[in-house]
Amino acid sequence: MTRLRDTLSKLRERKENAWTFEEFDLFLRRYERLGASTIRKRLTHVRFMAKRELHAMPVVLDGTREDIVNSFCAYVTMREEIDECATGALINDHKAIRCLGKFLGIPSDVWPTAPTQTAHEDLWLPSPEQVYDLLHANYGSKNSFENAQIRYLLAANFGFGVRAPSELFML
């Protein structure tokens, strides 16, 4: 608890927070070595979180580091409980603000924990009998090329598994 108080007191120190999105972009590109599409996503999310006309509790980007952390906590609470946003959107918000925090020198242990995505259990696996029926069914006439090709692809998929889309294309 004392370590957290010490960290929060460091955040309270008034530091000039004059940064631009171009500097943030350069940081993500040079120091974090992120790809162009990831950088674009992070910048878009940070800008989205700061829009005052969209949110009742926007993230304050032009305040102190403590203001950024506190406003993000309020923002996340608002998005989770009132807006009922999807878990994926909240995870992306957390990723973006952590990148900004790293850029501004905010310790990573002061951010709230990101929600976890639940695993979908609606995956359906066919039974061995169903696989047998699929492999021994006729697709079109028995001696046609299409019938042989479909049966061969099903056998390769169920028997060996396709490692890459290029393998399936080559077959």
PDB file of all heavy atoms in Angstrom, residues 122-155:
ATOM      1  N   ASP A 122     -19.334 -22.282 -27.928  1.00  0.00           N
ATOM      2  CA  ASP A 122     -20.268 -22.720 -28.938  1.00  0.00           C
ATOM      3  C   ASP A 122     -19.557 -23.360 -30.132  1.00  0.00           C
ATOM      4  O   ASP A 122     -20.109 -23.455 -31.209  1.00  0.00           O
ATOM      5  CB  ASP A 122     -21.159 -21.571 -29.396  1.00  0.00           C
ATOM      6  CG  ASP A 122     -20.371 -20.346 -29.799  1.00  0.00           C
ATOM      7  OD1 ASP A 122     -19.207 -20.240 -29.390  1.00  0.00           O
ATOM      8  OD2 ASP A 122     -20.928 -19.487 -30.504  1.00  0.00           O
ATOM      9  N   LEU A 123     -18.318 -23.820 -29.923  1.00  0.00           N
ATOM     10  CA  LEU A 123     -17.617 -24.550 -30.967  1.00  0.00           C
ATOM     11  C   LEU A 123     -18.207 -25.952 -31.065  1.00  0.00           C
ATOM     12  O   LEU A 123     -18.394 -26.642 -30.070  1.00  0.00           O
ATOM     13  CB  LEU A 123     -16.123 -24.647 -30.651  1.00  0.00           C
ATOM     14  CG  LEU A 123     -15.333 -23.353 -30.708  1.00  0.00           C
ATOM     15  CD1 LEU A 123     -13.905 -23.597 -30.264  1.00  0.00           C
ATOM     16  CD2 LEU A 123     -15.356 -22.798 -32.108  1.00  0.00           C
ATOM     17  N   TRP A 124     -18.496 -26.351 -32.274  1.00  0.00           N
ATOM     18  CA  TRP A 124     -19.091 -27.657 -32.472  1.00  0.00           C
ATOM     19  C   TRP A 124     -18.081 -28.563 -33.147  1.00  0.00           C
ATOM     20  O   TRP A 124     -17.507 -28.222 -34.183  1.00  0.00           O
ATOM     21  CB  TRP A 124     -20.346 -27.514 -33.332  1.00  0.00           C
ATOM     22  CG  TRP A 124     -20.931 -28.812 -33.703  1.00  0.00           C
ATOM     23  CD1 TRP A 124     -21.661 -29.646 -32.912  1.00  0.00           C
ATOM     24  CD2 TRP A 124     -20.822 -29.469 -34.967  1.00  0.00           C
ATOM     25  NE1 TRP A 124     -22.006 -30.765 -33.594  1.00  0.00           N
ATOM     26  CE2 TRP A 124     -21.511 -30.685 -34.874  1.00  0.00           C
ATOM     27  CE3 TRP A 124     -20.201 -29.141 -36.160  1.00  0.00           C
ATOM     28  CZ2 TRP A 124     -21.599 -31.569 -35.922  1.00  0.00           C
ATOM     29  CZ3 TRP A 124     -20.286 -30.021 -37.209  1.00  0.00           C
ATOM     30  CH2 TRP A 124     -20.986 -31.223 -37.086  1.00  0.00           C
ATOM     31  N   LEU A 125     -17.817 -29.682 -32.546  1.00  0.00           N
ATOM     32  CA  LEU A 125     -16.943 -30.682 -33.131  1.00  0.00           C
ATOM     33  C   LEU A 125     -17.791 -31.870 -33.553  1.00  0.00           C
ATOM     34  O   LEU A 125     -18.590 -32.376 -32.765  1.00  0.00           O
ATOM     35  CB  LEU A 125     -15.883 -31.142 -32.134  1.00  0.00           C
ATOM     36  CG  LEU A 125     -14.845 -30.110 -31.735  1.00  0.00           C
ATOM     37  CD1 LEU A 125     -13.929 -30.666 -30.663  1.00  0.00           C
ATOM     38  CD2 LEU A 125     -14.041 -29.679 -32.940  1.00  0.00           C
ATOM     39  N   PRO A 126     -17.620 -32.322 -34.776  1.00  0.00           N
ATOM     40  CA  PRO A 126     -18.412 -33.478 -35.210  1.00  0.00           C
ATOM     41  C   PRO A 126     -17.944 -34.748 -34.520  1.00  0.00           C
ATOM     42  O   PRO A 126     -16.771 -34.902 -34.169  1.00  0.00           O
ATOM     43  CB  PRO A 126     -18.156 -33.530 -36.715  1.00  0.00           C
ATOM     44  CG  PRO A 126     -16.866 -32.838 -36.916  1.00  0.00           C
ATOM     45  CD  PRO A 126     -16.765 -31.809 -35.836  1.00  0.00           C
ATOM     46  N   SER A 127     -18.864 -35.647 -34.350  1.00  0.00           N
ATOM     47  CA  SER A 127     -18.524 -36.934 -33.742  1.00  0.00           C
ATOM     48  C   SER A 127     -17.777 -37.787 -34.757  1.00  0.00           C
ATOM     49  O   SER A 127     -17.811 -37.522 -35.964  1.00  0.00           O
ATOM     50  CB  SER A 127     -19.811 -37.639 -33.298  1.00  0.00           C
ATOM     51  OG  SER A 127     -20.562 -38.006 -34.445  1.00  0.00           O
ATOM     52  N   PRO A 128     -17.097 -38.831 -34.322  1.00  0.00           N
ATOM     53  CA  PRO A 128     -16.391 -39.705 -35.275  1.00  0.00           C
ATOM     54  C   PRO A 128     -17.323 -40.322 -36.320  1.00  0.00           C
ATOM     55  O   PRO A 128     -16.940 -40.509 -37.469  1.00  0.00           O
ATOM     56  CB  PRO A 128     -15.769 -40.781 -34.385  1.00  0.00           C
ATOM     57  CG  PRO A 128     -15.623 -40.124 -33.052  1.00  0.00           C
ATOM     58  CD  PRO A 128     -16.774 -39.180 -32.938  1.00  0.00           C
ATOM     59  N   GLU A 129     -18.545 -40.612 -35.916  1.00  0.00           N
ATOM     60  CA  GLU A 129     -19.505 -41.172 -36.865  1.00  0.00           C
ATOM     61  C   GLU A 129     -19.860 -40.161 -37.952  1.00  0.00           C
ATOM     62  O   GLU A 129     -19.991 -40.517 -39.133  1.00  0.00           O
ATOM     63  CB  GLU A 129     -20.783 -41.626 -36.145  1.00  0.00           C
ATOM     64  CG  GLU A 129     -20.594 -42.801 -35.208  1.00  0.00           C
ATOM     65  CD  GLU A 129     -20.046 -42.381 -33.848  1.00  0.00           C
ATOM     66  OE1 GLU A 129     -20.153 -41.191 -33.487  1.00  0.00           O
ATOM     67  OE2 GLU A 129     -19.491 -43.251 -33.160  1.00  0.00           O
ATOM     68  N   GLN A 130     -20.022 -38.906 -37.558  1.00  0.00           N
ATOM     69  CA  GLN A 130     -20.334 -37.864 -38.532  1.00  0.00           C
ATOM     70  C   GLN A 130     -19.161 -37.636 -39.492  1.00  0.00           C
ATOM     71  O   GLN A 130     -19.357 -37.428 -40.686  1.00  0.00           O
ATOM     72  CB  GLN A 130     -20.703 -36.559 -37.829  1.00  0.00           C
ATOM     73  CG  GLN A 130     -22.025 -36.618 -37.107  1.00  0.00           C
ATOM     74  CD  GLN A 130     -22.258 -35.401 -36.234  1.00  0.00           C
ATOM     75  OE1 GLN A 130     -21.307 -34.856 -35.669  1.00  0.00           O
ATOM     76  NE2 GLN A 130     -23.511 -34.994 -36.118  1.00  0.00           N
ATOM     77  N   VAL A 131     -17.927 -37.698 -38.989  1.00  0.00           N
ATOM     78  CA  VAL A 131     -16.754 -37.552 -39.845  1.00  0.00           C
ATOM     79  C   VAL A 131     -16.686 -38.719 -40.833  1.00  0.00           C
ATOM     80  O   VAL A 131     -16.431 -38.533 -42.031  1.00  0.00           O
ATOM     81  CB  VAL A 131     -15.461 -37.467 -39.003  1.00  0.00           C
ATOM     82  CG1 VAL A 131     -14.225 -37.527 -39.881  1.00  0.00           C
ATOM     83  CG2 VAL A 131     -15.460 -36.206 -38.167  1.00  0.00           C
ATOM     84  N   TYR A 132     -16.954 -39.921 -40.354  1.00  0.00           N
ATOM     85  CA  TYR A 132     -16.960 -41.087 -41.236  1.00  0.00           C
ATOM     86  C   TYR A 132     -17.990 -40.921 -42.351  1.00  0.00           C
ATOM     87  O   TYR A 132     -17.713 -41.197 -43.528  1.00  0.00           O
ATOM     88  CB  TYR A 132     -17.246 -42.356 -40.415  1.00  0.00           C
ATOM     89  CG  TYR A 132     -17.243 -43.617 -41.249  1.00  0.00           C
ATOM     90  CD1 TYR A 132     -16.051 -44.281 -41.502  1.00  0.00           C
ATOM     91  CD2 TYR A 132     -18.426 -44.117 -41.785  1.00  0.00           C
ATOM     92  CE1 TYR A 132     -16.034 -45.435 -42.273  1.00  0.00           C
ATOM     93  CE2 TYR A 132     -18.415 -45.266 -42.557  1.00  0.00           C
ATOM     94  CZ  TYR A 132     -17.227 -45.914 -42.801  1.00  0.00           C
ATOM     95  OH  TYR A 132     -17.214 -47.043 -43.577  1.00  0.00           O
ATOM     96  N   ASP A 133     -19.186 -40.465 -41.970  1.00  0.00           N
ATOM     97  CA  ASP A 133     -20.230 -40.246 -42.972  1.00  0.00           C
ATOM     98  C   ASP A 133     -19.834 -39.178 -43.982  1.00  0.00           C
ATOM     99  O   ASP A 133     -20.122 -39.303 -45.173  1.00  0.00           O
ATOM    100  CB  ASP A 133     -21.552 -39.863 -42.296  1.00  0.00           C
ATOM    101  CG  ASP A 133     -22.166 -41.024 -41.503  1.00  0.00           C
ATOM    102  OD1 ASP A 133     -21.778 -42.185 -41.774  1.00  0.00           O
ATOM    103  OD2 ASP A 133     -23.002 -40.755 -40.622  1.00  0.00           O
ATOM    104  N   LEU A 134     -19.187 -38.105 -43.523  1.00  0.00           N
ATOM    105  CA  LEU A 134     -18.744 -37.053 -44.446  1.00  0.00           C
ATOM    106  C   LEU A 134     -17.702 -37.570 -45.426  1.00  0.00           C
ATOM    107  O   LEU A 134     -17.696 -37.232 -46.607  1.00  0.00           O
ATOM    108  CB  LEU A 134     -18.145 -35.870 -43.662  1.00  0.00           C
ATOM    109  CG  LEU A 134     -19.099 -34.867 -43.057  1.00  0.00           C
ATOM    110  CD1 LEU A 134     -18.344 -33.903 -42.157  1.00  0.00           C
ATOM    111  CD2 LEU A 134     -19.811 -34.099 -44.148  1.00  0.00           C
ATOM    112  N   LEU A 135     -16.772 -38.397 -44.922  1.00  0.00           N
ATOM    113  CA  LEU A 135     -15.690 -38.884 -45.771  1.00  0.00           C
ATOM    114  C   LEU A 135     -16.142 -39.945 -46.771  1.00  0.00           C
ATOM    115  O   LEU A 135     -15.510 -40.127 -47.808  1.00  0.00           O
ATOM    116  CB  LEU A 135     -14.552 -39.445 -44.910  1.00  0.00           C
ATOM    117  CG  LEU A 135     -13.804 -38.431 -44.049  1.00  0.00           C
ATOM    118  CD1 LEU A 135     -12.764 -39.126 -43.193  1.00  0.00           C
ATOM    119  CD2 LEU A 135     -13.165 -37.361 -44.895  1.00  0.00           C
ATOM    120  N   HIS A 136     -17.225 -40.630 -46.454  1.00  0.00           N
ATOM    121  CA  HIS A 136     -17.686 -41.704 -47.334  1.00  0.00           C
ATOM    122  C   HIS A 136     -18.933 -41.335 -48.123  1.00  0.00           C
ATOM    123  O   HIS A 136     -19.500 -42.181 -48.820  1.00  0.00           O
ATOM    124  CB  HIS A 136     -17.920 -42.981 -46.518  1.00  0.00           C
ATOM    125  CG  HIS A 136     -16.640 -43.566 -46.026  1.00  0.00           C
ATOM    126  ND1 HIS A 136     -16.051 -43.166 -44.856  1.00  0.00           N
ATOM    127  CD2 HIS A 136     -15.806 -44.488 -46.569  1.00  0.00           C
ATOM    128  CE1 HIS A 136     -14.928 -43.822 -44.678  1.00  0.00           C
ATOM    129  NE2 HIS A 136     -14.738 -44.636 -45.708  1.00  0.00           N
ATOM    130  N   ALA A 137     -19.357 -40.108 -48.043  1.00  0.00           N
ATOM    131  CA  ALA A 137     -20.512 -39.668 -48.827  1.00  0.00           C
ATOM    132  C   ALA A 137     -20.074 -39.365 -50.252  1.00  0.00           C
ATOM    133  O   ALA A 137     -18.893 -39.149 -50.534  1.00  0.00           O
ATOM    134  CB  ALA A 137     -21.137 -38.432 -48.193  1.00  0.00           C
ATOM    135  N   ASN A 138     -21.020 -39.361 -51.152  1.00  0.00           N
ATOM    136  CA  ASN A 138     -20.741 -39.002 -52.538  1.00  0.00           C
ATOM    137  C   ASN A 138     -21.242 -37.588 -52.782  1.00  0.00           C
ATOM    138  O   ASN A 138     -22.385 -37.263 -52.475  1.00  0.00           O
ATOM    139  CB  ASN A 138     -21.419 -39.976 -53.507  1.00  0.00           C
ATOM    140  CG  ASN A 138     -20.723 -41.312 -53.533  1.00  0.00           C
ATOM    141  OD1 ASN A 138     -19.499 -41.368 -53.447  1.00  0.00           O
ATOM    142  ND2 ASN A 138     -21.494 -42.384 -53.627  1.00  0.00           N
ATOM    143  N   TYR A 139     -20.374 -36.759 -53.328  1.00  0.00           N
ATOM    144  CA  TYR A 139     -20.701 -35.368 -53.628  1.00  0.00           C
ATOM    145  C   TYR A 139     -20.786 -35.237 -55.141  1.00  0.00           C
ATOM    146  O   TYR A 139     -19.789 -35.049 -55.817  1.00  0.00           O
ATOM    147  CB  TYR A 139     -19.642 -34.431 -53.046  1.00  0.00           C
ATOM    148  CG  TYR A 139     -19.499 -34.597 -51.552  1.00  0.00           C
ATOM    149  CD1 TYR A 139     -18.514 -35.425 -51.018  1.00  0.00           C
ATOM    150  CD2 TYR A 139     -20.373 -33.956 -50.695  1.00  0.00           C
ATOM    151  CE1 TYR A 139     -18.398 -35.584 -49.655  1.00  0.00           C
ATOM    152  CE2 TYR A 139     -20.261 -34.122 -49.324  1.00  0.00           C
ATOM    153  CZ  TYR A 139     -19.274 -34.940 -48.811  1.00  0.00           C
ATOM    154  OH  TYR A 139     -19.173 -35.110 -47.457  1.00  0.00           O
ATOM    155  N   GLY A 140     -21.982 -35.385 -55.674  1.00  0.00           N
ATOM    156  CA  GLY A 140     -22.152 -35.426 -57.128  1.00  0.00           C
ATOM    157  C   GLY A 140     -22.070 -36.874 -57.575  1.00  0.00           C
ATOM    158  O   GLY A 140     -22.306 -37.810 -56.800  1.00  0.00           O
ATOM    159  N   SER A 141     -21.710 -37.087 -58.827  1.00  0.00           N
ATOM    160  CA  SER A 141     -21.589 -38.465 -59.303  1.00  0.00           C
ATOM    161  C   SER A 141     -20.349 -39.107 -58.686  1.00  0.00           C
ATOM    162  O   SER A 141     -19.371 -38.437 -58.357  1.00  0.00           O
ATOM    163  CB  SER A 141     -21.534 -38.507 -60.826  1.00  0.00           C
ATOM    164  OG  SER A 141     -20.345 -37.893 -61.270  1.00  0.00           O
ATOM    165  N   LYS A 142     -20.391 -40.428 -58.552  1.00  0.00           N
ATOM    166  CA  LYS A 142     -19.355 -41.139 -57.801  1.00  0.00           C
ATOM    167  C   LYS A 142     -17.961 -41.011 -58.426  1.00  0.00           C
ATOM    168  O   LYS A 142     -16.965 -40.967 -57.723  1.00  0.00           O
ATOM    169  CB  LYS A 142     -19.756 -42.600 -57.683  1.00  0.00           C
ATOM    170  CG  LYS A 142     -18.900 -43.367 -56.715  1.00  0.00           C
ATOM    171  CD  LYS A 142     -19.473 -44.727 -56.467  1.00  0.00           C
ATOM    172  CE  LYS A 142     -18.627 -45.410 -55.425  1.00  0.00           C
ATOM    173  NZ  LYS A 142     -19.169 -46.660 -54.991  1.00  0.00           N
ATOM    174  N   ASN A 143     -17.869 -40.947 -59.726  1.00  0.00           N
ATOM    175  CA  ASN A 143     -16.568 -40.909 -60.389  1.00  0.00           C
ATOM    176  C   ASN A 143     -16.177 -39.504 -60.848  1.00  0.00           C
ATOM    177  O   ASN A 143     -15.243 -39.362 -61.623  1.00  0.00           O
ATOM    178  CB  ASN A 143     -16.578 -41.852 -61.600  1.00  0.00           C
ATOM    179  CG  ASN A 143     -16.704 -43.288 -61.168  1.00  0.00           C
ATOM    180  OD1 ASN A 143     -16.275 -43.650 -60.093  1.00  0.00           O
ATOM    181  ND2 ASN A 143     -17.308 -44.106 -62.014  1.00  0.00           N
ATOM    182  N   SER A 144     -16.843 -38.475 -60.370  1.00  0.00           N
ATOM    183  CA  SER A 144     -16.538 -37.121 -60.837  1.00  0.00           C
ATOM    184  C   SER A 144     -15.310 -36.551 -60.123  1.00  0.00           C
ATOM    185  O   SER A 144     -14.938 -36.976 -59.023  1.00  0.00           O
ATOM    186  CB  SER A 144     -17.739 -36.197 -60.630  1.00  0.00           C
ATOM    187  OG  SER A 144     -17.923 -35.969 -59.260  1.00  0.00           O
ATOM    188  N   PHE A 145     -14.698 -35.570 -60.767  1.00  0.00           N
ATOM    189  CA  PHE A 145     -13.531 -34.892 -60.195  1.00  0.00           C
ATOM    190  C   PHE A 145     -13.915 -34.140 -58.923  1.00  0.00           C
ATOM    191  O   PHE A 145     -13.176 -34.150 -57.940  1.00  0.00           O
ATOM    192  CB  PHE A 145     -12.946 -33.931 -61.234  1.00  0.00           C
ATOM    193  CG  PHE A 145     -11.850 -33.062 -60.686  1.00  0.00           C
ATOM    194  CD1 PHE A 145     -10.583 -33.589 -60.448  1.00  0.00           C
ATOM    195  CD2 PHE A 145     -12.069 -31.731 -60.399  1.00  0.00           C
ATOM    196  CE1 PHE A 145      -9.575 -32.805 -59.941  1.00  0.00           C
ATOM    197  CE2 PHE A 145     -11.063 -30.934 -59.886  1.00  0.00           C
ATOM    198  CZ  PHE A 145      -9.808 -31.477 -59.661  1.00  0.00           C
ATOM    199  N   GLU A 146     -15.076 -33.473 -58.941  1.00  0.00           N
ATOM    200  CA  GLU A 146     -15.514 -32.699 -57.768  1.00  0.00           C
ATOM    201  C   GLU A 146     -15.704 -33.602 -56.552  1.00  0.00           C
ATOM    202  O   GLU A 146     -15.365 -33.239 -55.433  1.00  0.00           O
ATOM    203  CB  GLU A 146     -16.817 -31.948 -58.067  1.00  0.00           C
ATOM    204  CG  GLU A 146     -16.668 -30.791 -59.024  1.00  0.00           C
ATOM    205  CD  GLU A 146     -16.689 -31.240 -60.485  1.00  0.00           C
ATOM    206  OE1 GLU A 146     -17.053 -32.408 -60.759  1.00  0.00           O
ATOM    207  OE2 GLU A 146     -16.305 -30.426 -61.334  1.00  0.00           O
ATOM    208  N   ASN A 147     -16.276 -34.795 -56.762  1.00  0.00           N
ATOM    209  CA  ASN A 147     -16.480 -35.732 -55.663  1.00  0.00           C
ATOM    210  C   ASN A 147     -15.135 -36.124 -55.058  1.00  0.00           C
ATOM    211  O   ASN A 147     -14.955 -36.108 -53.833  1.00  0.00           O
ATOM    212  CB  ASN A 147     -17.228 -36.969 -56.167  1.00  0.00           C
ATOM    213  CG  ASN A 147     -17.493 -37.965 -55.054  1.00  0.00           C
ATOM    214  OD1 ASN A 147     -17.781 -37.584 -53.922  1.00  0.00           O
ATOM    215  ND2 ASN A 147     -17.387 -39.240 -55.363  1.00  0.00           N
ATOM    216  N   ALA A 148     -14.171 -36.458 -55.897  1.00  0.00           N
ATOM    217  CA  ALA A 148     -12.851 -36.857 -55.399  1.00  0.00           C
ATOM    218  C   ALA A 148     -12.157 -35.700 -54.691  1.00  0.00           C
ATOM    219  O   ALA A 148     -11.522 -35.879 -53.641  1.00  0.00           O
ATOM    220  CB  ALA A 148     -12.001 -37.367 -56.564  1.00  0.00           C
ATOM    221  N   GLN A 149     -12.283 -34.504 -55.248  1.00  0.00           N
ATOM    222  CA  GLN A 149     -11.623 -33.346 -54.649  1.00  0.00           C
ATOM    223  C   GLN A 149     -12.208 -33.023 -53.274  1.00  0.00           C
ATOM    224  O   GLN A 149     -11.465 -32.791 -52.324  1.00  0.00           O
ATOM    225  CB  GLN A 149     -11.754 -32.137 -55.573  1.00  0.00           C
ATOM    226  CG  GLN A 149     -11.012 -30.931 -55.078  1.00  0.00           C
ATOM    227  CD  GLN A 149     -11.160 -29.748 -56.007  1.00  0.00           C
ATOM    228  OE1 GLN A 149     -12.151 -29.626 -56.721  1.00  0.00           O
ATOM    229  NE2 GLN A 149     -10.176 -28.864 -55.991  1.00  0.00           N
ATOM    230  N   ILE A 150     -13.523 -33.018 -53.157  1.00  0.00           N
ATOM    231  CA  ILE A 150     -14.162 -32.714 -51.864  1.00  0.00           C
ATOM    232  C   ILE A 150     -13.788 -33.771 -50.831  1.00  0.00           C
ATOM    233  O   ILE A 150     -13.445 -33.453 -49.687  1.00  0.00           O
ATOM    234  CB  ILE A 150     -15.691 -32.592 -52.035  1.00  0.00           C
ATOM    235  CG1 ILE A 150     -16.022 -31.333 -52.837  1.00  0.00           C
ATOM    236  CG2 ILE A 150     -16.391 -32.569 -50.683  1.00  0.00           C
ATOM    237  CD1 ILE A 150     -17.469 -31.212 -53.228  1.00  0.00           C
ATOM    238  N   ARG A 151     -13.828 -35.033 -51.213  1.00  0.00           N
ATOM    239  CA  ARG A 151     -13.479 -36.100 -50.266  1.00  0.00           C
ATOM    240  C   ARG A 151     -12.012 -36.013 -49.855  1.00  0.00           C
ATOM    241  O   ARG A 151     -11.658 -36.235 -48.697  1.00  0.00           O
ATOM    242  CB  ARG A 151     -13.799 -37.458 -50.864  1.00  0.00           C
ATOM    243  CG  ARG A 151     -15.321 -37.664 -50.969  1.00  0.00           C
ATOM    244  CD  ARG A 151     -15.673 -38.944 -51.618  1.00  0.00           C
ATOM    245  NE  ARG A 151     -15.269 -40.069 -50.778  1.00  0.00           N
ATOM    246  CZ  ARG A 151     -15.422 -41.333 -51.131  1.00  0.00           C
ATOM    247  NH1 ARG A 151     -15.950 -41.645 -52.283  1.00  0.00           N
ATOM    248  NH2 ARG A 151     -15.047 -42.293 -50.325  1.00  0.00           N
ATOM    249  N   TYR A 152     -11.134 -35.658 -50.803  1.00  0.00           N
ATOM    250  CA  TYR A 152      -9.713 -35.525 -50.503  1.00  0.00           C
ATOM    251  C   TYR A 152      -9.468 -34.361 -49.540  1.00  0.00           C
ATOM    252  O   TYR A 152      -8.709 -34.488 -48.575  1.00  0.00           O
ATOM    253  CB  TYR A 152      -8.928 -35.316 -51.800  1.00  0.00           C
ATOM    254  CG  TYR A 152      -7.439 -35.272 -51.599  1.00  0.00           C
ATOM    255  CD1 TYR A 152      -6.717 -36.431 -51.341  1.00  0.00           C
ATOM    256  CD2 TYR A 152      -6.751 -34.065 -51.636  1.00  0.00           C
ATOM    257  CE1 TYR A 152      -5.353 -36.393 -51.154  1.00  0.00           C
ATOM    258  CE2 TYR A 152      -5.384 -34.021 -51.444  1.00  0.00           C
ATOM    259  CZ  TYR A 152      -4.694 -35.187 -51.201  1.00  0.00           C
ATOM    260  OH  TYR A 152      -3.342 -35.162 -51.000  1.00  0.00           O
ATOM    261  N   LEU A 153     -10.125 -33.230 -49.775  1.00  0.00           N
ATOM    262  CA  LEU A 153      -9.967 -32.078 -48.879  1.00  0.00           C
ATOM    263  C   LEU A 153     -10.504 -32.381 -47.487  1.00  0.00           C
ATOM    264  O   LEU A 153      -9.905 -31.996 -46.478  1.00  0.00           O
ATOM    265  CB  LEU A 153     -10.657 -30.845 -49.468  1.00  0.00           C
ATOM    266  CG  LEU A 153      -9.982 -30.222 -50.684  1.00  0.00           C
ATOM    267  CD1 LEU A 153     -10.849 -29.110 -51.256  1.00  0.00           C
ATOM    268  CD2 LEU A 153      -8.617 -29.694 -50.318  1.00  0.00           C
ATOM    269  N   LEU A 154     -11.648 -33.061 -47.410  1.00  0.00           N
ATOM    270  CA  LEU A 154     -12.189 -33.429 -46.097  1.00  0.00           C
ATOM    271  C   LEU A 154     -11.253 -34.387 -45.375  1.00  0.00           C
ATOM    272  O   LEU A 154     -11.025 -34.261 -44.165  1.00  0.00           O
ATOM    273  CB  LEU A 154     -13.576 -34.046 -46.254  1.00  0.00           C
ATOM    274  CG  LEU A 154     -14.710 -33.087 -46.596  1.00  0.00           C
ATOM    275  CD1 LEU A 154     -15.979 -33.856 -46.911  1.00  0.00           C
ATOM    276  CD2 LEU A 154     -14.948 -32.116 -45.452  1.00  0.00           C
ATOM    277  N   ALA A 155     -10.697 -35.340 -46.085  1.00  0.00           N
ATOM    278  CA  ALA A 155      -9.771 -36.296 -45.464  1.00  0.00           C
ATOM    279  C   ALA A 155      -8.515 -35.587 -44.978  1.00  0.00           C
ATOM    280  O   ALA A 155      -8.007 -35.866 -43.884  1.00  0.00           O
ATOM    281  CB  ALA A 155      -9.423 -37.405 -46.454  1.00  0.00           C
TER     282      ALA A 155
END
